[in-house]
Amino acid sequence: MQTKRWLAGIYLLVVIIGLSGCIFSSESQQAREVAEKFWQAILSNDMDAAKDLTTWESAQYLQFLSSKSVSAQRFETGEIKVDASTAEVATVLYGGEKGDMKIPVRTVLVRDKENAWQVDVQKTMGSMVSGAMGAVVDQLNQFMDNGLKDLDQSLADSVNKLNQNLKQGVDQLKKELAKPPAVAPEPPPVTTPSPPAKQSI
């Protein structure tokens, strides 16, 4: 009998833990879905759909996220952190000409009066600015690395070419110096004018 109570207690504990995990998972999944819908609306320039997913206080900041100003081509969501009334979804926007520049963003969500998740655009943009600055610095560093490699190769090629030209010049000079001196042509005979004849008086 004691064993049955003990097993029933463990079973009840497992069920409670499982249900709380489902509730937490459901909360984080809902926040992730709202974040994904928001970024999809931004990238497709559907500002009405994006506005429906934002807080009333931060809706005015949507104008700064129009697709013309956000050059991202795609996005990915990652880790999520959920508190009682806020959630942060790690998001990476991929921008640049080739879509290879990563801009890390924290999509910040808050609960509204109906307990639904909404994006706080102002706080999200704050994280976006620092993420964009980091991405720009990374791009500049990559550009400088590639530029220096190209410059190194160009300098090496120029030095090699100069070395070859110098070798050819030295070889040519050696050949010229090895030749016996050419016989100088005989100068024409010098004629001296005869002295004037003396006249007698």
Side-chain angles (χ1 to χ4, degrees), residues 18-108:
L19 287 176
S20 67
C22 289
I23 291 170
F24 178 74
S25 175
S26 174
E27 289 293 318
S28 59
Q29 187 59 32
Q30 288 172 0
R32 182 185 308 279
E33 286 174 6
V34 170
E36 288 176 350
K37 287 178 184 176
F38 171 77
W39 285 112
Q40 190 57 50
I42 293 295
L43 295 183
S44 61
N45 204 21
D46 186 357
M47 291 310 189
D48 291 330
K51 188 175 183 178
D52 291 341
L53 298 168
T54 63
T55 62
W56 176 256
E57 300 82 19
S58 68
Q60 64 188 351
Y61 293 97
L62 279 175
Q63 63 183 340
F64 301 110
L65 291 179
S66 67
S67 67
K68 294 173 189 165
S69 62
V70 176
S71 63
Q73 298 172 5
R74 64 186 176 93
F75 71 93
E76 290 178 358
T77 57
E79 230 177 87
I80 186 166
K81 183 174 100 175
V82 178
D83 292 332
S85 62
T86 61
E88 290 182 7
V89 179
T91 309
V92 178
L93 302 177
Y94 292 91
E97 290 178 11
K98 298 176 185 173
D100 59 350
M101 183 172 73
K102 294 180 181 181
I103 304 171
V105 180
R106 286 180 306 110
T107 306
V108 180

Side-chain angles (χ1 to χ4, degrees), residues 165-185:
N165 289 341
L166 285 174
K167 259 187 174 175
Q168 288 174 351
V170 166
D171 290 343
Q172 185 67 29
L173 184 61
K174 282 181 182 178
K175 285 179 185 176
E176 292 294 322
L177 290 175
K179 288 182 186 176
V183 178

